[in-house]
Amino acid sequence: MQAFRRHRGLMLPINADNVDTDAITPQRWLITVERKGLGGGLFGSWRYDENGEDNPDFVLNEPQYAGASVIVARANYGCGSSREHAVWAHLDYGIRAIVAASYGPIFYENCLKNGLLPVVLPDRHIDTLMAHALAGDGAEVLIDLELNKVMGPGGLVYDFAMDAGRRQSLLDGLDDIAATLAQREDIDNFEAWQRRKSPWLG
């Protein structure tokens, strides 16, 4: 997966609580197990009308948010079913980080396993960032995972916490498989020792 160290991007406001994975990636986009091509379905039921045309009232279609790469959201973002497609859709669209008050636990884990940074900030900080994002005047944030800081408009600086092991995996760009393979020599040595000690295990 792509390593995450720091990223500066335009904020996209998703100003609602309990945005679930059905809204993030509707069922009709779940016909593939490929990670590419899902960006077009991100928020598909909100983003398009019944004729498949862009809904001009949805934030993702507003021209001032074109190219946004950081979502600012409220509480319990990504709740609902465990579909990993919801994370893949964000990444395929170009979203590199989400800043929210809280997350659905499975979605949060899926973010970490795929290189999408989920930052948790208190409601009062989300309120401030959301106000800047909703203003639609090109407000950007810099998210620095090495420093564990979100830096926003007007000199805003917010610290955030993350599990040290998960943080290091994001910094190194290692998913669970890659992290295991990085220990290949130790695994091989252990297996050789075990075969010598207990040859009947085969």
Side-chain angles (χ1 to χ4, degrees):
M1 68 185 187
Q2 184 179 355
F4 192 110
R5 293 188 175 275
R6 64 185 62 83
H7 175 77
R8 181 184 297 278
L10 175 67
M11 291 188 287
L12 177 73
I14 304 296
N15 191 21
D17 293 325
N18 305 312
V19 175
D20 63 29
T21 53
D22 295 328
I24 292 170
T25 313
Q27 188 275 336
R28 63 184 178 275
W29 274 277
L30 303 183
I31 59 175
T32 179
V33 293
E34 299 293 329
R35 301 187 182 198
K36 299 296 183 183
L38 289 168
L42 182 65
F43 299 112
S45 294
W46 297 346
R47 189 172 165 188
Y48 308 113
D49 64 21
E50 61 275 10
N51 299 313
E53 301 295 328
D54 287 353
N55 172 10
D57 296 325
F58 183 59
V59 64
L60 211 63
N61 294 324
E62 296 180 18
Q64 63 266 37
Y65 297 110
S69 58
V70 178
I71 284 178
V72 179
R74 298 284 183 185
N76 205 25
Y77 187 84
C79 58
S81 64
S82 61
R83 61 187 68 175
E84 200 166 6
H85 297 70
V87 172
W88 299 346
H90 283 82
L91 291 168
D92 193 56
Y93 181 82
I95 302 297
R96 291 290 287 128
I98 304 167
V99 183
S102 62
Y103 297 86
I106 297 175
F107 178 83
Y108 183 85
E109 289 296 317
N110 284 339
C111 286
L112 296 173
K113 292 175 185 293
N114 286 277
L116 177 62
L117 177 64
V119 174
V120 178
L121 289 180
D123 286 331
R124 66 185 185 279
H125 297 336
I126 296 296
D127 288 342
T128 301
L129 291 174
M130 188 68 74
H132 282 289
L134 288 169
D137 55 3
E140 295 185 340
V141 288
L142 171 64
I143 302 177
D144 193 319
L145 186 57
E146 293 181 325
L147 299 177
N148 279 24
K149 293 183 183 296
V150 174
M151 289 163 265
L156 296 174
V157 179
Y158 300 136
D159 296 319
F160 65 91
M162 177 170 285
D163 173 80
R166 287 310 189 61
R167 173 179 172 272
Q168 194 60 53
S169 292
L170 285 167
L171 288 169
D172 294 338
L174 297 177
D175 60 17
D176 290 346
I177 294 173
T180 300
L181 291 176
Q183 305 298 318
R184 183 64 180 267
E185 184 177 353
D186 291 338
I187 293 169
D188 289 344
N189 289 339
F190 172 79
E191 289 179 341
W193 171 85
Q194 188 177 53
R195 283 193 296 270
R196 291 192 303 271
K197 181 181 179 184
S198 307
W200 60 87
L201 295 176

